Amino acid sequence: MTESALLELEVGPVGHGGFCVARHEGQVVFVRHALPGETVRARVTEETKNFLRADAVEILKASPDRREAPCEFSGPGRCGGCDWQHATPEAQRRLKSDVVKEQLQRLAGISREVHVEEVAVPVLYTEDGEPIASPPGLGWRTRVQFAVGEDGGVGLRKSRSHDIEYIDRCLIAHPGTEQIGVERQLWKNAAGVEAIVSAGTGDRLVVITEPKGRNRRPTKIPTLDVPVRIVKPDRPERFTPQQPGKAQGGKPQPGRPQPRKAVTPFVREEAAGRLWQVTGSGFWQVHPAAAETLVKAVMDALEPRSGEIALDLYCGVGLFAGVLAERVGRDGLVIGVETGNQAVRDAKFNLKDLANVSIEQGKVEDVIAALEFGQARPERPQRGAQPKRGAAQGHRGGSRVRGADITVLDPPRTGAGEKVVDEIARRTNRKIAYVSCDPATLARDLKYFSTRGWVLETLRAFDLFPNTSHVECVASLIRG
């Protein structure tokens, strides 16, 4: 079999990763741009000893769930940012439900019906109060990372490739992101450009990644369509605010860079009745309704009680920790654990008004192994001595009273892993909420929990990434 060969295939079930599964002469074929039940002619794009990959280039018998892709850059061999533009929104959610169900059954031995819930994008309004409504499944992504070509042109990577599909707009990008106009400019000497907008506050940020090496040249920053702050993470002391200024003749020049000066590189996000500072490319959910949706799902799963001790693992900028702190009250305690330096700084800033929250930095498995839960009586320091770090806050250095009552974890796509699961399972007394963006690693970790006496109580799934293969799940666990 050679790459680029054409195969006629009867398409089978959906697979995890934005493709469907077919067979050709007994060999497994992973087919993109197809739907279950279709007959397609597919071009082979990759061959291994165990399977083939292929793109459906001709639909011989179409599924009733098929539609014309709304994006002109979608299709075989083109932009890899979306996986299911050729399926109706309802069909996409059914496909994702099937993926989650299959991963749970195959990897965790759990048989569970799964319903992926639609999450609407909040309506955006213009300065004149006119609504900007996006069609279903479009206009939701508030953070978009663009690749930059040698000539400065901007686009998105093709599927399983470093090649760039050059674009002048992205339909799944939030209208506020598109207003920046990154795709309509040249970014010479940049390696990547990320456009960020807060749907709640309207804050905008552009983060530039530059090539590494001695011979690199500074990025030529173009004039953009709206005021925005330009950030170069490798030179954090230098930011370029783009806002209306004055030319030498005294006339305003909208969008012209002002002289460089220090500007704090963050956006303010709104969720759960609070403002959240998120610096640069720091993690925040990209769907405008995701933070509120997940907070509600996690609180429904954990049912926090006054006076409880809670862990928020992989806490990022402190979203769940902040809400938990309010739920457990002054007599309770919340400990957030995060690895990233800037995320820890943001979390501490965001939660500085909550005395019952402690943010710890380090690898989750290391930090929770060293945690000593409960609030200790502060010892009187000897004259000239400093109080023992954490003695009054109940984190590392406090006195052990009991384990955490509840734990929420929101790990990266790679999941928590067995070592972290083991620590959580031993140190949590009542309930665990697991937030996951990958059903495979979620299922793997649920299996680890099951061998340690924890069982799946509830599972909810949310379509926070329409037109892509990604799905967000919230699982609650109790002791069996």
Side-chain angles (χ1 to χ4, degrees):
M1 183 73 63
T2 60
E3 289 189 20
S4 78
L6 285 174
L7 308 175
E8 186 171 317
L9 301 171
E10 299 289 334
V11 181
V14 63
H16 177 37
F19 55 81
C20 293
V21 182
R23 289 186 177 273
H24 176 74
E25 298 178 352
Q27 188 170 28
V28 173
V29 186
F30 298 145
V31 191
R32 285 176 55 84
H33 309 288
L35 293 173
E38 291 188 330
T39 303
V40 303
R41 188 166 284 119
R43 188 179 304 279
V44 175
T45 59
E46 182 182 342
E47 181 178 5
T48 74
K49 68 177 184 179
N50 295 321
F51 60 84
L52 303 174
R53 295 187 186 275
D55 284 344
V57 295
E58 184 180 355
I59 311 303
L60 304 177
K61 186 182 77 172
S63 164
D65 292 328
R66 177 171 285 275
R67 67 168 180 178
E68 189 73 23
C71 178
E72 62 185 294
F73 304 108
S74 176
R78 305 205 63 188
C79 178
C82 293
D83 305 291
W84 298 117
Q85 289 229 4
H86 56 287
T88 66
E90 298 79 13
Q92 292 180 33
R93 292 192 289 274
R94 290 197 300 271
L95 292 170
K96 295 180 185 186
S97 297
D98 290 344
V99 168
V100 176
K101 181 179 178 180
E102 188 272 337
Q103 295 293 300
L104 289 175
Q105 179 64 60
R106 184 169 62 85
L107 298 177
I110 297 172
S111 180
R112 182 70 59 102
E113 288 300 318
V114 178
H115 169 66
V116 174
E117 302 174 37
E118 180 181 9
V119 180
V121 177
V123 176
L124 181 71
Y125 292 89
T126 66
E127 293 181 356
D128 299 327
E130 294 295 322
I132 303 175
S134 299
L138 303 179
W140 54 268
R141 193 173 189 95
T142 58
R143 294 167 176 254
V144 184
Q145 293 182 340
F146 297 98
V148 181
E150 293 183 0
D151 64 349
V154 166
L156 298 170
R157 301 287 183 189
K158 298 181 179 181
S159 177
R160 301 182 63 80
S161 172
H162 293 292
D163 295 340
I164 300 173
E165 177 75 26
Y166 293 98
I167 64 175
D168 57 15
R169 61 174 182 157
C170 177
L171 292 187
I172 67 171
H174 188 272
T177 311
E178 283 296 282
Q179 288 171 359
I180 298 173
V182 167
E183 312 99 299
R184 297 182 288 278
Q185 305 294 338
L186 294 178
W187 298 81
K188 292 184 179 180
N189 304 326
V193 179
E194 182 178 10
I196 300 171
V197 68
S198 166
T201 66
D203 291 352
R204 302 184 187 97
L205 204 62
V206 169
V207 181
I208 298 173
T209 303
E210 294 182 322
K212 296 180 179 179
R214 295 182 177 179
N215 297 324
R216 67 178 182 177
R217 297 180 179 179
T219 299
K220 295 183 178 179
I221 300 174
T223 299
L224 296 172
D225 298 345
V226 292
V228 64
R229 285 175 292 179
I230 309 291
V231 181
K232 296 181 179 180
D234 56 342
R235 288 184 282 178
E237 74 285 357
R238 300 179 70 187
F239 310 111
T240 302
Q242 279 207 1
Q243 54 189 6
K246 290 185 178 181
Q248 291 181 355
K251 294 182 179 180
Q253 297 293 314
R256 276 293 176 193
Q258 299 295 297
R260 291 185 184 272
K261 62 179 181 179
V263 177
T264 306
F266 64 84
V267 295
R268 297 162 302 157
E269 299 285 358
E270 286 184 333
R274 298 175 68 94
L275 280 176
W276 306 87
Q277 174 177 297
V278 185
T279 299
S281 291
F283 177 77
W284 186 262
Q285 290 285 347
V286 296
H287 192 291
E292 294 282 1
T293 299
L294 294 176
V295 162
K296 185 178 186 308
V298 168
M299 296 306 125
D300 288 347
L302 291 177
E303 301 176 306
R305 301 169 184 170
S306 178
E308 286 194 316
I309 296 176
L311 285 178
D312 178 7
L313 307 181
Y314 312 93
C315 71
V317 300
L319 176 63
F320 296 132
V323 180
L324 284 168
E326 296 173 353
R327 298 293 183 93
V328 302
R330 295 176 61 183
D331 293 332
L333 174 67
V334 179
I335 304 170
V337 183
E338 172 58 43
T339 304
N341 293 331
Q342 187 57 60
V344 168
R345 287 193 288 269
D346 283 344
K348 289 182 176 181
F349 174 83
N350 293 331
L351 306 177
K352 63 181 183 294
D353 61 313
L354 299 173
N356 60 342
V357 176
S358 171
I359 302 298
E360 295 288 337
Q361 183 172 9
K363 291 183 178 181
V364 167
E365 59 269 33
D366 296 337
V367 173
I368 60 176
L371 284 175
E372 295 179 347
F373 300 100
Q375 295 188 346
R377 294 179 181 177
E379 298 177 1
R380 291 184 179 180
Q382 296 179 359
R383 181 174 297 179
Q386 294 295 321
K388 188 178 181 182
R389 179 180 179 269
Q393 285 72 32
H395 51 188
R396 283 181 283 185
S399 63
R400 185 180 302 278
V401 175
R402 62 188 191 276
D405 298 292
I406 52 178
T407 296
V408 57
L409 63 155
D410 186 4
R413 194 173 302 279
T414 51
E418 189 169 13
K419 187 175 180 180
V420 172
V421 166
D422 185 63
E423 292 290 347
I424 296 171
R426 289 193 299 109
R427 296 175 180 275
T428 307
N429 295 322
R430 190 168 66 81
K431 272 196 170 186
I432 298 168
Y434 191 138
V435 183
S436 170
C437 60
D438 189 316
T441 54
L442 171 64
R444 178 204 67 198
D445 289 346
L446 290 179
K447 180 68 173 178
Y448 293 149
F449 275 113
S450 71
T451 63
R452 290 158 174 81
W454 289 82
V455 297
L456 180 64
E457 181 186 33
T458 64
L459 178 73
R460 296 181 67 184
F462 302 97
D463 193 14
L464 297 180
F465 313 94
N467 289 297
T468 77
S469 61
H470 304 300
V471 59
E472 196 85 3
C473 295
V474 177
S476 68
L477 296 96
I478 56 176
R479 290 190 178 275

